[in-house]
């Protein structure tokens, strides 16, 4: 037994008002299953079923009859649903009564005449003008119908016999009547020409007004677009354009095509305006994303997001070059401090660099004195302030530049309704090398500009002409170089926080290394000069202890030197090249196993009595250095591998209780194995002896993480258990392949997974 259908529900009628016999379209729900299912339709109380045409279950077309009520509901009745309801109504417009002698601008239907005697309209049916019984007899059965047919044939034959004579006899009368009718027609045309002209003009005006009223959205759209653009309501413009495009994009009506072409012209101007705003510099990341989304919704040609990235890259490079040129002009005396304030060269405490970390005090005044107020920014050397300003430019611009690229790659810049998200994301992936080159160019430009200001000897002649031009007659002291190192380190930390690949930041790390060496040499040289000048300060005044002030001055000078060398000598893990770490570890092993033993023999041969103590202390210090560097290297290599395990396992909402049968090794495990193999290759190329030491620690870290993750799972399905059982075997096989290295935790992981999985099978 089929389920009973819902009663019909009328939710719309178009048009919603009109005169009798107006054709309307009724829309709604459950309006019947076919023509036979529709058994009733009334509008304003009038039965319209005879004119109804069932289209679909949600659409019926009919004509409105001359109902008594001016306004009423639309009720549909079906066999399957019964009597329906309506949420809309129809307004019946009744025409004004016009007498036969009244003037009218419209044509009056002559089938309805006006009876002045009864003061009411009477309708004459066309059927009433025909004979009621054309056969002339009453027909009750088939025999009577046969007799009637024979009678009609006889009458027709009689008419045919006399028709020719009748025509010949009345031919002259026929021609006279024809002439009279022709004259009457001309007279009627003359009399009614003005009336008919007024009727045609009124019909044209009415049709034009109806078109304007019905399609006023399209006709007003060009002006509305212009107004909304001036107000900055681009969202409204885009929504109106999408609506007009869906309605009139493929129209063949000349008027609509003309108006729509004007709309397209305004939209094209809007695209150009938004692109110009997008490429303006400087601009915020929020505005860039907003304009890109607008252009995506408007289906702008090309790739506006990539154009914005290219423009921002050029803008950053230009800012860096302008910064260098402005400081060089100031150094040459062409710019005063007032002019500097106009172009924004002075540093302030609200800069991007200082928002990361305020710099340590710079010591001035002899060799190492600390400034007492903020005026040190104006008293400091040009090169120091230039490095700070240049770093501030990079730190303030590059993060937004990097975030814009990330949004470009993951597709968040584009609107889903544009329908081009996947295509644009594919374009972004194809441009990864181009963007990597942009970042490389920015970091390389930063390094070259700093080298041109502080380390000109490290550049070629061609690079000096482009990035040099500084007055280096007065070299910077060690204290100012320490401040520069601090600034560059802050920049490196800020860029590393953006998760920019380390290979792109290697040039900055190399710059830091060269600056530290330069600062060390400069500080030692200046300290040497200060010590030499101490003799000139000797006053030969002896105190109570029998000494002068010279030893105290020498001690103070050395203490200040050691304090100033604290930051240049400090080496952070991120500033050491990983390959160099391996080389240092290999050198440490060789020193402990060979060099120190050889030195001990030579010390004994030359009769040094404390040789054993010297070697013991040296080996202990070497082992501490070796352990620190080894832990640093293992941490840098194992953390990315361990950190990728858990996200990789549960990628795609993976569930151990509900997973498909395993068909191969999952991607996260492949990535972990490839990473371990790459570490093995990197260590093997430097020192074969370091392979067991490094790989055992990394495999131990991976085993501990896998063991922890498996213990966190409450239960497994059969398919999940198969995957878990295979995981430790893969790691064990890898360990055996890598020179037979097997850590006990790998075996523990295998036992844990077996004991944890088997009971749930």
């Amino acid at each position: 037994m089929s389920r009973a259908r819902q009663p019909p529900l009328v939710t719309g009628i178009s048009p919603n008002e009109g005169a009798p016999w107006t054709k309307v379209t009724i829309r709604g729900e459950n309006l019947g299953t076919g023509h036979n299912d529709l058994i009733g339709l009334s509008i304003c109380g009038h039965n319209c079923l005879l004119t109804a045409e069932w289209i679909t279950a949600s659409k019926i077309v009919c004509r409105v009859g001359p109902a008594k009520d001016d306004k009423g509901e639309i009720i549909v009745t079906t066999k399957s649903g019964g009597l329906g309801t309506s949420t809309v109504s129809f307004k019946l417009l009744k025409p004004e009564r016009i007498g036969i002698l009244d003037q009218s601008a419209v044509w009056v239907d002559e089938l309805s005449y006006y009876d002045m005697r009864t003061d009411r309209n009477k309708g004459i049916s066309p059927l009433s003008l025909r004979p009621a019984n054309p056969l002339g007899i009453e027909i009750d059965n088939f025999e009577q119908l046969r007799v009637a047919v024979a009678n009609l044939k006889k009458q027709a034959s009689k008419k045919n016999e006399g028709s020719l004579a009748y025509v010949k006899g009345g031919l002259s009368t026929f021609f006279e009547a024809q002439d009279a009718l022709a004259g009457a027609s001309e007279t009627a045309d003359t009399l009614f020409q003005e009336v008919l002209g007024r009727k045609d003009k009124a019909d044209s005006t009415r049709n034009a007004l109806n078109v304007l009223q019905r399609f006023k959205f399209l006709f007003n759209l060009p002006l509305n677009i212009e107004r909304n653009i001036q107000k900055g309501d681009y969202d409204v413009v885009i929504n109106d354009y999408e609506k007009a495009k869906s309605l009139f994009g493929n129209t063949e009506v000349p008027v609509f095509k003309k108006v729509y072409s004007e709309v397209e012209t305004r939209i094209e101007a809007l695209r150009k305006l938004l692109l110009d705003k997008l490429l303006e510099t400087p601009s915020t990341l929020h505005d860039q994303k907003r304009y890109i989304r607008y252009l995506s919704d408007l289906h702008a040609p090309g790739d506006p997001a990539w154009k914005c990235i290219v423009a921002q890259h050029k803008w950053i490079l230009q800012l860096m070059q302008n910064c260098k040129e402005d400081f060089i002009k100031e150094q040459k005396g062409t710019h005063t401090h007032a002019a500097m304030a106009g172009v924004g060269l002075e540093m302030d405490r609200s800069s991007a660099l200082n928002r990361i970390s305020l710099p340590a005090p710079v010591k001035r005044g002899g060799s190492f004195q600390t400034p007492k107020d903020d005026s040190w920014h104006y008293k400091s050397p040009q090169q120091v302030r230039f490095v700070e300003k240049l770093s501030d430019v990079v730190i303030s611009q590059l993060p937004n530049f990097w975030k814009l690229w990330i949004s470009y790659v993951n597709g968040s810049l584009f609107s889903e309704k544009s329908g081009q998200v996947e295509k644009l994301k594919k374009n972004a992936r194809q441009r990864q090398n181009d963007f990597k080159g942009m970042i490389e160019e920015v970091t390389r430009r930063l390094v070259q500009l700093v080298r041109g200001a502080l380390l000109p000897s490290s550049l070629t002649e061609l690079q000096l002409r482009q990035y040099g031009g500084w007055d280096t007659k007065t070299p910077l002291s060690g204290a100012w170089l320490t401040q520069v190192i601090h600034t560059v380190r802050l920049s490196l930390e800020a860029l590393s926080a953006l998760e920019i690949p380390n290979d792109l930041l290697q040039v900055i790390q190399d710059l830091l290394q060269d600056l530290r060496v330069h600062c060390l040499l400069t500080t030692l040289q200046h300290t040497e000069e200060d010590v030499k000048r101490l003799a000139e300060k000797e006053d030969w005044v002896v105190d109570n202890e029998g000494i002068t002030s010279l030893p105290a001055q020498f001690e103070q000078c050395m203490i200040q030197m050691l304090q100033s060398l604290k930051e240049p000598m400090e080496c952070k893990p991120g500033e050491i090249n990983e390959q160099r770490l391996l080389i240092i570890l290999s050198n440490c092993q060789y020193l402990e196993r060979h060099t120190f033993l050889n030195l001990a023999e030579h010390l004994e041969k030359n009769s040094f009595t404390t040789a054993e103590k010297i070697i013991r202390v040296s080996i202990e210090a070497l082992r501490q250095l070796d352990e620190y560097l080894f832990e640093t290297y293992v941490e840098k290599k194992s953390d990315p591998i361990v950190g990728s395990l858990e996200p990789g396992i549960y990628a795609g909402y993976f569930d151990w209780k509900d997973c498909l049968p395993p068909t191969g090794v999952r991607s996260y495990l492949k990535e972990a194995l490839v990473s371990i193999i790459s570490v093995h290759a990197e260590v093997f190329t430097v020192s074969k002896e370091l392979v067991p030491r490094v790989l055992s620690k990394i495999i131990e870290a991976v085993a501990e993480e896998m063991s922890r993750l498996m213990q966190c799972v409450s239960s497994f399905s059969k398919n999940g258990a198969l995957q878990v059982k295979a995981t430790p075997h893969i790691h064990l096989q890898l360990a055996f392949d890598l020179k037979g290295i097997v850590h006990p935790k790998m075996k523990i992981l295998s036992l844990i997974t077996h004991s944890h999985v088997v009971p749930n099978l």
Side-chain angles (χ1 to χ4, degrees):
M1 182 176 180
S2 62
R3 186 177 61 181
R5 294 178 60 86
Q6 297 292 330
L9 174 63
V10 177
T11 59
I13 183 170
S14 176
N16 58 5
E17 62 180 13
W21 308 114
T22 298
K23 187 176 182 179
V24 296
T25 300
I26 300 171
R27 297 186 183 274
E29 301 174 359
N30 306 316
L31 300 184
T33 60
H35 297 282
N36 297 330
D37 191 41
L38 183 65
I39 60 174
L41 174 61
S42 64
I43 301 178
C44 298
H46 186 270
N47 188 4
C48 302
L49 183 62
L50 293 178
T51 61
E53 180 182 358
W54 185 89
I55 305 299
T56 63
S58 60
K59 180 178 179 181
I60 297 176
V61 178
C62 70
R63 291 188 178 273
V64 180
K68 295 181 180 180
D69 300 331
D70 293 342
K71 189 173 183 179
E73 296 182 340
I74 301 92
I75 305 300
V76 177
T77 307
T78 61
K79 294 180 181 178
S80 58
L83 183 64
T85 57
S86 173
T87 60
V88 296
S89 61
F90 183 84
K91 183 178 181 181
L92 187 66
L93 304 177
K94 295 185 178 181
E96 183 182 356
R97 296 178 179 180
I98 302 175
I100 58 177
L101 300 180
D102 297 334
Q103 293 185 355
S104 174
V106 298
W107 189 261
V108 180
D109 190 0
E110 294 183 352
L111 292 179
S112 296
Y113 71 94
Y114 186 72
D115 191 349
M116 298 181 62
R117 294 171 300 173
T118 59
D119 193 22
R120 65 181 180 179
N121 285 331
K122 290 185 178 180
I124 301 177
S125 173
L127 297 177
S128 64
L129 301 178
R130 301 176 183 176
N133 189 357
L135 298 180
I137 60 175
E138 296 294 333
I139 299 174
D140 295 330
N141 52 43
F142 185 75
E143 291 297 330
Q144 292 180 352
L145 181 61
R146 182 179 295 175
V147 173
V149 170
N151 186 26
L152 288 176
K153 289 182 178 179
K154 291 179 181 179
Q155 293 179 4
S157 62
K158 291 179 180 180
K159 289 182 179 180
N160 291 336
E161 293 175 356
S163 60
L164 183 60
Y166 177 77
V167 171
K168 291 180 179 179
L171 189 60
S172 59
T173 306
F174 174 74
F175 285 120
E176 291 177 359
Q178 185 179 14
D179 294 338
L181 290 174
S185 176
E186 293 178 0
T187 304
D189 289 342
T190 304
L191 293 175
F192 288 97
Q193 185 174 9
E194 183 179 356
V195 176
L196 294 175
R198 290 202 306 267
K199 173 185 177 298
D200 293 340
K201 186 176 180 180
D203 291 343
S204 300
T205 303
R206 186 182 296 105
N207 292 336
L209 291 174
N210 289 337
V211 170
L212 290 175
Q213 181 66 22
R214 184 175 180 182
F215 302 102
K216 63 181 180 179
F217 164 74
L218 178 63
F219 294 119
N220 295 334
L221 186 56
L223 182 59
N224 291 336
I225 289 176
E226 193 69 28
R227 290 175 178 173
N228 290 325
I229 289 176
Q230 293 178 359
K231 293 189 295 184
D233 294 336
Y234 302 121
D235 290 313
V236 178
V237 175
I238 293 172
N239 292 334
D240 290 347
Y241 172 65
E242 290 293 336
K243 181 179 178 182
K245 186 176 181 180
S246 63
L247 294 175
F248 306 101
N250 299 321
T251 183
E252 297 296 333
V253 180
V255 176
F256 295 162
K257 290 178 67 175
K258 182 178 179 180
V259 178
Y260 185 74
S261 64
E262 186 176 352
V263 172
E264 286 287 358
T265 303
R266 303 290 177 90
I267 294 298
E268 185 62 31
L270 176 60
R271 292 192 187 103
K272 186 177 182 303
L273 174 64
L274 292 175
L275 185 60
D276 293 341
K277 288 182 174 292
L278 177 63
L279 301 182
E280 281 182 1
T281 51
S283 61
T284 63
L285 179 63
H286 173 74
D287 289 339
Q288 291 170 357
K289 290 183 177 181
R290 190 161 56 96
Y291 293 139
I292 291 172
R293 190 171 292 108
Y294 288 153
L295 290 169
S296 174
D297 292 340
L298 292 174
H299 306 282
D303 194 345
W306 180 249
K307 293 178 182 178
C308 178
I309 291 174
V310 173
Q312 288 298 311
H313 172 246
K314 293 180 179 179
W315 165 250
I316 294 173
L317 294 179
Q318 188 62 42
L319 280 179
M320 297 168 67
Q321 194 66 26
N322 290 345
C323 180
K324 174 245 181 183
E325 293 174 358
D326 290 338
F327 270 97
I328 288 181
K329 289 179 181 178
E330 181 194 359
Q331 188 183 47
K332 293 180 178 179
T334 56
H335 281 191
T336 61
H337 287 293
M340 281 174 52
V343 297
L345 286 179
E346 68 276 38
M347 297 292 297
D348 55 60
R349 292 287 178 177
S350 62
S351 65
L353 185 63
N354 289 311
R355 285 196 297 272
I356 298 174
S357 174
L358 290 177
V362 177
K363 300 184 177 181
R364 293 189 70 249
S367 295
F368 312 98
Q369 292 184 4
T370 305
K372 301 301 182 182
D373 52 32
D374 290 341
S375 63
W376 71 278
H377 285 295
Y378 300 101
K379 299 175 184 178
S380 59
Q382 291 286 345
Q383 291 94 325
V384 177
R385 289 194 289 115
F386 164 69
V387 173
E388 291 179 344
K389 179 62 179 178
L390 184 64
S391 300
D392 186 68
V393 169
V394 174
I395 293 174
S396 62
Q397 298 295 330
L398 202 58
N400 287 340
F401 183 62
W402 180 261
K403 292 175 183 177
L404 180 64
W405 164 255
I406 296 300
S407 301
Y408 178 57
V409 172
N410 59 30
S412 61
L413 288 177
F414 315 111
S415 175
E416 292 292 341
K417 63 182 180 181
S418 65
Q420 298 179 342
V421 176
E422 292 301 325
K423 178 182 177 182
L424 295 173
K425 289 171 67 175
K426 182 179 179 181
N427 293 341
R429 290 191 293 268
Q430 293 174 350
R431 290 183 169 129
Q432 286 184 353
N433 290 334
D434 296 335
F435 182 78
K436 182 178 179 181
M438 292 180 180
I439 297 294
E440 278 184 324
E441 188 174 2
V442 172
T443 54
R444 194 186 314 113
R445 181 70 59 86
L446 170 66
V447 170
Q448 289 172 340
L449 288 172
V450 175
R451 288 184 180 274
L454 302 175
L455 303 171
S457 59
S458 63
L459 298 178
T460 63
E461 293 183 2
L462 180 62
Q463 291 173 336
L464 274 176
R465 285 195 293 269
Q466 184 176 0
Y467 306 111
W470 295 87
D471 182 10
T472 57
K473 295 180 181 179
T474 305
L476 294 180
S477 64
W480 291 118
L481 289 174
T482 301
Q483 172 63 22
V484 170
I485 292 173
H486 182 81
T487 302
V488 176
R489 273 181 172 161
L490 286 178
S491 302
L492 180 60
E493 292 173 2
L495 298 180
S496 300
L498 297 176
E499 298 182 355
I500 297 177
N502 289 330
D503 57 332
L504 300 180
L505 303 178
Q506 185 60 43
V507 290
I508 303 180
Q509 295 177 4
D510 294 340
L511 172 65
L512 271 174
Q513 183 70 17
D514 293 343
L515 286 174
R516 290 170 57 218
V517 173
H518 180 62
C519 179
L520 177 61
L521 296 177
T522 302
T523 302
L524 293 176
Q525 182 181 0
H526 289 178
T527 303
E528 179 186 5
E529 295 174 356
D530 290 344
V531 171
K532 289 180 179 180
R533 286 195 296 268
L534 288 179
E536 301 174 1
K537 300 180 180 180
E538 178 60 67
D539 54 4
W540 304 105
V541 176
V542 180
D543 59 7
N544 296 333
E545 298 180 0
I547 59 174
T548 64
S549 61
L550 190 60
Q553 293 179 12
F554 173 74
E555 180 183 358
Q556 183 67 22
C557 184
M558 298 305 296
I559 291 174
Q560 290 178 347
M561 179 197 69
L562 295 175
Q563 290 176 349
S564 63
L565 289 178
K566 180 180 179 180
E567 181 160 353
M569 291 297 292
E570 181 184 2
C571 184
K572 298 185 179 181
E575 299 173 8
I576 300 179
N577 186 279
E578 295 174 358
Q579 189 175 11
R580 293 179 183 178
L581 273 176
L582 288 174
I583 295 174
I584 295 173
L585 289 172
S586 180
N587 289 340
C588 289
Q589 282 189 350
Y590 185 83
L591 285 172
E592 182 179 355
R593 296 176 182 177
H594 302 284
T595 305
F596 283 149
L597 296 178
N598 295 335
L599 287 176
E601 293 179 1
H602 287 285
L603 289 172
E604 291 178 359
K605 287 180 182 180
N606 293 280
S607 302
F608 282 90
T609 57
T610 58
E612 182 180 355
K613 181 179 180 181
I614 293 174
I615 296 301
R616 187 176 67 254
V617 173
S618 300
I619 291 177
E620 184 64 28
L622 181 65
R623 287 176 178 173
Q624 292 179 0
L625 174 63
D626 177 84
E627 187 64 26
Y628 171 74
L629 296 179
F630 176 75
E631 291 178 357
T632 300
Y633 181 78
V634 171
E635 182 180 357
K636 288 176 68 66
K637 289 299 182 181
S638 62
D639 283 354
I641 301 175
V642 172
S644 64
L645 292 177
E646 185 172 5
I649 290 176
Y650 297 103
Y653 302 99
F654 179 83
D655 188 359
W656 291 107
K657 300 179 183 179
D658 183 18
C659 59
L660 298 175
T663 57
V665 181
R666 292 182 62 193
S667 299
Y668 81 93
L669 195 54
K670 292 179 182 179
E671 294 176 1
L673 297 179
V674 170
S675 300
I676 295 175
I677 293 172
S678 64
V679 175
H680 177 276
E682 181 178 313
V683 178
F684 188 82
T685 55
V686 176
S687 174
K688 299 178 182 179
E689 297 178 356
L690 286 174
V691 172
R693 185 183 178 193
V694 174
L695 266 293
S696 61
K697 284 291 185 180
I698 293 179
I699 294 176
E700 177 185 358
V702 174
E704 288 179 350
E705 179 66 12
M706 289 297 298
S707 176
R708 183 189 69 82
L709 293 175
M710 294 303 103
Q711 290 178 358
C712 292
V713 182
S714 58
S715 61
F716 300 87
S717 65
K718 182 177 180 180
N719 296 331
L722 291 176
Q723 293 195 29
V724 176
K725 290 175 66 178
T727 301
H729 291 295
I730 295 173
H731 282 87
L732 285 171
Q733 184 63 41
L734 173 67
F736 280 116
D737 292 341
L738 298 177
K739 300 301 180 182
I741 304 167
V742 182
H743 196 276
K745 289 189 178 290
M746 291 301 302
K747 299 179 180 178
I748 295 173
L749 172 62
S750 180
L751 294 174
I752 289 174
T753 52
H754 277 74
S755 63
H756 195 51
V757 171
V758 172
N760 294 284
L761 290 177

